[in-house]
Amino acid sequence: MAGVSQVTVSRALSDPSKVSKATLDRIQAAIYATGFVPNAAAGALASRRSHLISALVPSITNIVYSSFIRAFSERIRADGYQILLSETGFDQQDEETAVKAHLSRQPDAILLTGIHHSRETRRMLLASGIPVVEVWDISDTPIDTCVGFDHAAAARTVAKFAIKNGYRTAATITAGDSRARQRQVSFAQHFQTAGGFPVMDIDIGGPASIAAGRTALTQILKATDVENSAAFVFCSSDLLAHGALIEAAKRGIVVPDALAIMGFGDQDFAASLEPPLTSLRVDRDLLGHSAAEALIARINGHPVKDVTRINFEIALRNTVLC
Amino acid sequence: MAGVSQVTVSRALSDPSKVSKATLDRIQAAIYATGFVPNAAAGALASRRSHLISALVPSITNIVYSSFIRAFSERIRADGYQILLSETGFDQQDEETAVKAHLSRQPDAILLTGIHHSRETRRMLLASGIPVVEVWDISDTPIDTCVGFDHAAAARTVAKFAIKNGYRTAATITAGDSRARQRQVSFAQHFQTAGGFPVMDIDIGGPASIAAGRTALTQILKATDVENSAAFVFCSSDLLAHGALIEAAKRGIVVPDALAIMGFGDQDFAASLEPPLTSLRVDRDLLGHSAAEALIARINGHPVKDVTRINFEIALRNTVLC
DNA sequence: TTGTATGCGTTATCAA
DNA sequence: TTGATAACGCATACAA
């Protein structure tokens, strides 16, 4: 229709500067007229590059992961990549199944959440030879490269913060995921070592929710004499902290005077609660962008360091006395 | 390695029953030993079926859409499809760009949010000939098929509910999206027609958030004499209602006695707020599953009705006197 | 600046 | 039950 061969059209699409102005115009006119859409599968087959990047996250309804995914996909899209997304729950077997399905699409790179994967998952990934980034956590032996932060250190920071502000009684509310558990363990250990009493933990088992936060605080209150010992409650997520805040208000317990509540993640609603929630802030956008950049660099053959650490800091607000 | 030709391997993978037990065993052993992963791009090229379904949503960080996506992808995965996901913001131009990119992957079907699309988007979709489902809204002229609910009718239901319970003063807090706006218009009109006073609206312009809900309620309180006229505040989402609830509590305004607040969407936190939030419930899981089923039916050449209506109902809780 | 020939790894068709 | 062969629609190498 444009009076040129197929290769010329291919060139016009991939690198217009290699085609003369006149033919380019004719080709574009023909493309518009026919509604032609290049077949990316054929392109991927021929070029051995799919321009697809896989991402596996535990949950997309969890704002922590969905906002991360947004930042990540924004960045890869800027380089012409599309995202192939799957939810893996918090189960290694589901992850393995998903990895297999994703690998068959020949993604140019893959993102995994966390650093604990099945033996078979590791094997497949290593065999595929594509760049892999593990996010949210730090590992000494990443499959390829990892971008995250040190959860134990973050929890230690919170423990020090609590002690420094005079708290000696503490409790934790922990969701059922490995990183939350890791933080709980580290917090409890350091809080006690630094002079606090043993830390009571409520393990909610499943995903975080406001309802779970309320129930957990109720349990803590049953076991603790709040009136006489201003306690510090460290929640594994802001959502749980939010629930605890609601329950405290309902019971007429004044935060932070009678009870301190601290969240984790510093989600955007944290500052809008009443009182505004003190939380541990992690730059999720930076995490997403860094993970994307690590992958893109590796795809292009550039060196990438094994471990990228993302900073965290305490977002000081009003649910802790200090 | 298994002593068979390439076609036999293909058969062993796609339909094991067409291969003898003995050769199947050898093939599977070889597959395991080599870590062979079939190339889906090549398969898609040859079979003209990608087993990929595209989904375009305005935002993945909005729990309304992310929980919908979960339900949708669960259902399509059960039939062997993978999801290609993109965020389109609330912009038709971005949507058009995304549609073009997605079509090049030759998805077997595509999901769009809403019923308003650019002329070019419609043209491309029609030209592609693949099944299309538009969700969340109802259209008399869907591109192909649509699954959603009648937003005007939903808002009318809320207006009747308010009037029936004696409310004559009302205000709305509305996020910046077309469906929210549609509900606001319908609510205001019916509320007034049914005997209420003119409805004050606060348009927050952007996406819903707790912060926006707080600010909006503050504005409403400035303009309304709450003490003397128990008002009914209809929010376009539970998140906004949540913010309004927090602001009311902070100001010592008792809900529902002095002020009624109603949300929309019945997100899972609604029941856990204090007081529990009255909201309009839409079955998002059903919506996701129905959309998936419509698409799968169309892919398999089965007839699908043009419009599928999902029911809604009022989740009666404690933020409205009744 | 443009074109020819070839191959990417599957599935579909037909034959044995 | 298995195999040979020809597409599928592009990109790459090379030639003109």
Side-chain angles (χ1 to χ4, degrees):
Chain A
M1 186 162 168
V4 295
S5 74
Q6 175 261 323
V7 242
T8 307
V9 176
S10 172
R11 271 193 283 258
L13 255 20
S14 60
D15 186 359
S17 73
K18 299 178 110 179
V19 171
S20 79
K21 179 79 177 70
T23 55
L24 184 58
D25 288 345
R26 272 178 294 135
I27 289 172
Q28 285 173 336
I31 285 177
Y32 182 78
T34 57
F36 172 78
V37 175
N39 184 324
L45 193 59
S47 68
R48 302 160 152 287
R49 304 195 69 209
S50 63
H51 290 277
L52 227 39
I53 292 184
S54 284
L56 305 187
V57 294
S59 160
I60 54 168
T61 54
N62 186 327
I63 181 79
V64 165
Y65 298 113
S66 60
S67 59
F68 165 79
I69 284 298
R70 156 177 298 162
F72 178 76
S73 56
E74 247 176 31
R75 185 63 189 75
I76 64 169
R77 194 177 323 139
D79 271 58
Y81 293 93
Q82 264 181 287
I83 192 170
L84 203 58
L85 186 71
S86 279
E87 247 182 322
T88 59
F90 286 92
D91 184 287
Q92 291 200 0
Q93 203 53 47
D94 288 350
E95 185 182 65
E96 186 179 312
T97 306
V99 165
K100 198 172 298 179
H102 279 229
L103 284 182
S104 77
R105 299 279 168 193
Q106 320 287 121
D108 291 340
I110 187 166
L111 173 142
L112 258 41
T113 305
I115 56 173
H116 303 298
H117 315 287
S118 76
R119 181 171 218 74
E120 177 65 8
T121 297
R122 256 188 114 83
R123 197 182 71 92
M124 287 190 293
L125 256 14
L126 254 11
S128 77
I130 62 172
V132 177
V133 65
E134 293 165 270
V135 297
W136 280 107
D137 216 332
I138 292 291
S139 167
D140 293 332
T141 55
I143 299 176
D144 182 6
T145 176
C146 71
V147 179
F149 61 94
D150 187 333
H151 291 258
R156 211 179 307 139
T157 301
V158 176
K160 275 189 203 159
F161 169 71
I163 288 286
K164 197 194 74 194
N165 289 302
Y167 291 95
R168 291 297 174 270
T169 309
T172 49
I173 302 180
T174 313
D177 93 269
S178 66
R179 287 174 290 283
R181 176 53 55 199
Q182 198 183 337
R183 295 194 295 271
Q184 193 280 326
V185 170
S186 172
F187 173 84
Q189 188 190 320
H190 282 84
F191 185 80
Q192 215 175 322
T193 308
F197 298 119
V199 175
M200 172 186 187
D201 178 54
I202 302 294
D203 182 351
I204 67 163
S209 68
I210 289 181
R214 293 188 65 163
T215 310
L217 186 67
T218 304
Q219 289 181 252
I220 290 172
L221 294 177
K222 254 185 224 156
T224 317
D225 179 11
V226 181
E227 318 297 323
N228 299 317
S229 66
F232 183 94
V233 178
F234 179 36
C235 306
S236 75
S237 77
D238 284 354
L239 210 53
L240 290 172
H242 186 4
L245 222 47
I246 290 176
E247 189 61 33
K250 168 110 193 250
R251 291 166 180 272
I253 296 171
V254 180
V255 174
D257 308 50
L259 186 72
I261 294 179
M262 174 136 178
F264 191 93
D266 192 29
Q267 289 159 33
D268 58 359
F269 67 75
S272 308
L273 299 184
E274 202 54 51
L277 180 67
T278 300
S279 186
L280 195 127
R281 176 188 301 144
V282 180
D283 193 334
R284 288 191 295 280
D285 284 357
L286 179 60
L287 191 64
H289 289 152
S290 301
E293 272 159 20
L295 247 25
I296 291 169
R298 287 278 286 103
I299 289 174
N300 297 328
H302 303 146
V304 170
K305 49 185 175 176
D306 289 354
V307 176
T308 303
R309 282 169 198 276
I310 300 295
N311 288 330
F312 50 81
E313 60 180 340
I314 291 180
L316 279 177
R317 283 194 281 259
N318 311 355
T319 54
V320 176
L321 283 175
C322 53
Chain B
M1 186 163 171
V4 295
S5 74
Q6 181 270 127
V7 242
T8 307
V9 176
S10 172
R11 271 193 284 258
L13 255 20
S14 59
D15 186 359
S17 73
K18 300 179 107 178
V19 171
S20 79
K21 180 80 175 68
T23 54
L24 185 57
D25 287 345
R26 273 179 294 137
I27 289 172
Q28 285 174 336
I31 285 177
Y32 182 79
T34 56
F36 171 78
V37 176
N39 184 325
L45 192 58
S47 68
R48 302 160 154 287
R49 304 197 67 206
S50 63
H51 290 277
L52 228 40
I53 293 184
S54 284
L56 305 187
V57 294
S59 160
I60 54 169
T61 54
N62 185 326
I63 180 78
V64 165
Y65 298 113
S66 60
S67 59
F68 165 78
I69 284 297
R70 156 175 299 159
F72 178 75
S73 57
E74 249 177 28
R75 185 62 189 79
I76 65 170
R77 194 178 323 138
D79 271 58
Y81 293 93
Q82 264 181 287
I83 192 170
L84 204 58
L85 186 71
S86 278
E87 247 183 319
T88 59
F90 285 92
D91 185 286
Q92 290 200 1
Q93 203 53 47
D94 288 349
E95 185 183 65
E96 184 178 314
T97 305
V99 165
K100 198 172 298 181
H102 279 230
L103 285 181
S104 78
R105 298 280 170 194
Q106 320 286 123
D108 292 340
I110 188 167
L111 174 141
L112 259 41
T113 305
I115 55 173
H116 303 297
H117 314 288
S118 77
R119 180 170 219 74
E120 177 65 7
T121 297
R122 257 189 112 85
R123 195 183 72 94
M124 287 190 294
L125 256 14
L126 254 11
S128 77
I130 63 173
V132 177
V133 65
E134 293 165 272
V135 296
W136 280 108
D137 216 332
I138 292 291
S139 167
D140 292 332
T141 54
I143 298 176
D144 182 4
T145 175
C146 72
V147 178
F149 60 94
D150 186 335
H151 291 259
R156 212 178 307 138
T157 301
V158 176
K160 275 188 202 159
F161 170 70
I163 289 286
K164 197 194 74 193
N165 289 301
Y167 291 94
R168 292 295 174 272
T169 309
T172 50
I173 302 180
T174 313
D177 92 88
S178 66
R179 288 173 289 283
R181 176 51 57 198
Q182 198 183 337
R183 294 194 295 270
Q184 192 281 326
V185 169
S186 172
F187 173 85
Q189 188 191 320
H190 283 84
F191 186 81
Q192 215 177 321
T193 307
F197 299 120
V199 174
M200 171 185 188
D201 178 56
I202 303 294
D203 182 351
I204 67 164
S209 68
I210 288 180
R214 292 188 65 163
T215 310
L217 186 68
T218 304
Q219 289 181 252
I220 290 172
L221 294 176
K222 253 185 221 154
T224 316
D225 179 9
V226 179
E227 318 298 322
N228 299 316
S229 67
F232 183 95
V233 178
F234 179 37
C235 305
S236 75
S237 78
D238 283 354
L239 211 53
L240 291 172
H242 187 5
L245 221 46
I246 291 176
E247 189 61 34
K250 167 112 192 248
R251 293 167 178 270
I253 296 172
V254 180
V255 173
D257 308 50
L259 187 71
I261 294 180
M262 173 136 178
F264 190 93
D266 191 29
Q267 288 161 33
D268 58 359
F269 66 76
S272 308
L273 299 184
E274 203 53 52
L277 180 67
T278 301
S279 186
L280 196 127
R281 176 188 302 145
V282 180
D283 193 334
R284 289 192 295 281
D285 284 356
L286 179 60
L287 191 63
H289 289 152
S290 300
E293 273 159 20
L295 247 25
I296 290 170
R298 287 278 287 102
I299 289 174
N300 297 328
H302 302 147
V304 170
K305 48 185 176 177
D306 289 355
V307 176
T308 303
R309 282 169 197 275
I310 299 294
N311 288 330
F312 50 80
E313 60 181 340
I314 291 180
L316 278 177
R317 285 193 279 259
N318 310 354
T319 54
V320 176
L321 282 175
C322 52

